[in-house]
Amino acid sequence: MISMPMARLVERVAGGERLSPEEALALYTEAPTHVLGRLADQVRARKHPDRLVTYIIDRNVNYTNVCVARCSFCAFYRPVGSSDGYVLSFEEIFRKIEETIAVGGGQFLLQGGHNPDIPLQWYEDLFRAVKQQYPAFRLHALSPPEVIHISRLSGLPVPEVIRRLVAAGLDSIPGGGAEILVDRVRKLLHCYGKATADEWLNVMRHAHHAGLRTTATMMYGTVETPGERLEHLFRLRELQDQTGGFTAFITWSYQPDHTELAGVEATGIEYLRTLAMARLVLDNFDNLQSSWVTQGGKVGQLSLGFGANDMGSVMIEENVVRAAGASYCMDEVEIVRNIEDAGFTAKRRNMHYEVLGDPFFREHHVARMTTLATAKAEGEAGVPTELLNYPARSREGKAARGDTAGQNAK
Ligand code: SF4
């Protein structure tokens, strides 16, 4: 039984009216879960009446785990000088591209730590080399805090960094590093220094003005209030009203294992309620992804009834949330089964959410549950010698470069 004011609010939302922050908070904190789900499903059906659910075959490659940001919720990073620190060589990255193409993939989600020994030139050389060898391969790369890190390292303004990266081959920017776009929360999570809420949004604004399409994300379940989650969503809605540059929104719950912050993970119900609220607030976003990597296949499937119209990635490599305890894995066959069992038609897409075709495995032979090497394989060097060709910023990096100066200087 819901109250009369709530029933009237539900009716208005069902009629397509835009939510105010106060109304969103009332719905998020008081509406029964099935009501939120029904409303979000109605929005999904209005936006995607063809009942298509898409997914992409790509690979989440983390080019380095060395990071000076040291966010308290992160189990992936290693400090500068750590014996576990790594940087991938161009050769390893090319090998990963070839493996990805072989299983039907056409892009990387390429992200990494804020490594002070990787200058802008390294990214430009990498992107150019990738585009030269694999012209059709797409680079969905470098989240806003990485762009800010490169801007600070190089002393160049963010729009100039984006311009240079696009000239070298950057195709799209992933929405990572948003966490919660409220500075009170960012300070508590030690991620205010890497990017304030305004700085994150400004990178996306510049990227959209430069003609790039990007995604937006939200990691919830740490120290924020329900109102702050909604503030995050309203800030994204506002920017999308201005630029229209976001292709999709993805939310997931904080994964606490092996992190400094620790704590407990939010429940699957909370995930579904949060996803549904995102579908209702973000009325100017076309696509919402399911986060089955953190929630598991079955909650991922349920999310298709709570506003999601995309199953994200057939992730043949993922290192970051895995380091924090999320270990769900689905190959293309299983993703497609989950989509079809929920009554939808499964289609492969590209980074712009354009449909590419039917499931790859129905047209080609692909081994089930292909597991490819993640991050660095056993016995591989932590830092490739080619990195010594680039100027270093850290004491450790400078010492390493000094050892080989002369032989490797460009
Ligand atoms: S979340 Fe990203 S920026 Fe923060 S410590 Fe981990 S790798 Fe570094």
Side-chain angles (χ1 to χ4, degrees):
M1 200 49 196
I2 57 176
S3 65
M4 275 305 286
M6 179 59 72
R8 277 199 292 272
L9 176 56
V10 166
E11 206 179 298
R12 289 215 320 277
V13 175
E17 273 189 39
R18 189 164 239 208
L19 278 172
S20 71
E22 299 72 31
E23 290 168 336
L25 189 60
L27 273 178
Y28 192 30
T29 53
E30 293 166 36
T33 302
H34 70 276
V35 172
L36 283 183
R38 180 160 46 80
L39 288 172
D41 193 49
Q42 285 168 357
V43 177
R44 195 269 319 145
R46 273 203 296 272
K47 287 183 178 284
H48 301 279
D50 47 17
R51 295 193 67 78
L52 297 187
V53 168
T54 48
Y55 63 93
I56 188 165
I57 303 176
D58 73 357
R59 185 166 186 171
N60 192 348
V61 172
N62 302 109
Y63 56 89
T64 182
N65 63 347
V66 174
C67 189
V68 290
R70 311 181 80 151
C71 308
S72 63
F73 55 84
C74 179
F76 171 71
Y77 81 87
R78 294 293 178 271
V80 176
S82 163
S83 57
D84 290 342
Y86 74 79
V87 177
L88 296 181
S89 67
F90 285 13
E91 201 187 311
E92 287 167 288
I93 291 172
F94 298 155
R95 195 172 62 233
K96 285 172 186 284
I97 290 176
E98 277 161 26
E99 290 171 346
T100 306
I101 292 170
V103 295
Q107 78 162 30
F108 271 178
L109 169 53
L110 185 72
Q111 302 180 109
H114 300 185
N115 188 327
D117 296 324
I118 303 183
L120 174 57
Q121 183 73 45
W122 182 90
Y123 298 94
E124 293 180 306
D125 290 347
L126 173 65
F127 292 2
R128 286 212 167 86
V130 167
K131 292 295 177 163
Q132 198 179 6
Q133 295 206 37
Y134 313 94
F137 202 77
R138 296 281 169 253
L139 294 169
H140 182 46
L142 306 181
S143 63
E146 289 167 271
V147 173
I148 292 168
H149 168 73
I150 297 168
S151 159
R152 289 173 184 161
L153 268 188
S154 61
L156 295 171
V158 163
E160 176 61 10
V161 170
I162 292 174
R163 191 197 63 74
R164 281 180 56 167
L165 292 170
V166 169
L170 176 69
D171 292 297
S172 169
I173 291 186
E179 284 64 84
I180 295 286
L181 293 170
V182 175
D183 287 340
R184 182 196 80 85
V185 177
R186 303 187 74 76
K187 285 176 184 164
L188 289 172
L189 296 179
H190 301 171
C191 63
Y192 176 78
K194 74 175 180 184
T196 65
D198 282 347
E199 285 172 333
W200 190 98
L201 288 160
N202 272 331
V203 172
M204 288 310 196
R205 184 175 285 110
H206 288 306
H208 296 167
H209 287 158
L212 294 183
R213 304 298 305 279
T214 74
T215 53
T217 67
M218 175 171 81
M219 182 195 74
Y220 67 91
T222 55
V223 298
E224 78 287 349
T225 63
E228 286 168 332
R229 293 179 195 175
L230 293 170
E231 188 178 333
H232 176 108
L233 297 177
F234 279 98
R235 294 214 67 185
L236 292 177
R237 187 176 84 175
E238 192 186 355
L239 181 56
Q240 181 75 333
D241 276 343
Q242 294 163 11
T243 66
F246 290 117
T247 52
F249 173 78
I250 311 116
T251 187
W252 63 86
S253 57
Y254 161 58
Q255 304 295 307
D257 288 3
H258 315 299
T259 66
E260 184 189 327
L261 184 65
V264 289
E265 188 184 343
T267 64
I269 290 290
E270 198 167 350
Y271 170 72
L272 294 172
R273 291 183 66 86
T274 305
L275 177 72
M277 274 318 299
R279 185 58 289 174
L280 297 179
V281 173
L282 300 176
D283 55 2
N284 50 7
F285 277 64
D286 288 339
N287 302 292
L288 253 68
Q289 270 187 29
S290 154
S291 177
W292 59 263
V293 179
T294 57
Q295 305 301 317
K298 286 300 144 193
V299 175
Q301 186 184 44
L302 263 177
S303 72
L304 300 179
F306 280 75
N309 64 292
D310 186 272
M311 280 295 250
S313 164
V314 174
M315 220 175 259
I316 51 182
E317 172 171 345
E318 203 295 319
N319 305 292
V320 177
V321 296
R322 223 159 58 107
S327 57
Y328 294 110
C329 188
M330 287 203 288
D331 65 5
E332 191 192 16
V333 174
E334 206 161 335
I335 284 187
V336 169
R337 185 160 52 218
N338 273 293
I339 294 171
E340 292 177 345
D341 286 355
F344 295 92
T345 303
K347 294 282 183 188
R348 267 183 305 124
R349 66 159 169 89
N350 63 15
M351 67 166 56
H352 292 124
Y353 288 76
E354 295 156 346
V355 169
L356 294 178
D358 292 326
F360 188 78
F361 73 88
R362 293 205 170 124
E363 296 159 10
H364 305 84
H365 173 74
V366 180
R368 291 294 314 271
M369 287 295 178
T370 313
T371 38
L372 303 176
T374 55
K376 296 288 289 187
E378 285 286 316
E380 285 175 339
V383 178
T385 51
E386 75 198 6
L387 196 66
L388 304 176
N389 292 326
Y390 296 86
R393 183 60 80 83
S394 73
R395 198 174 44 213
E396 292 81 355
K398 282 178 177 160
R401 187 185 58 173
D403 287 348
T404 53
Q407 306 162 41
N408 294 306
K410 265 194 162 172

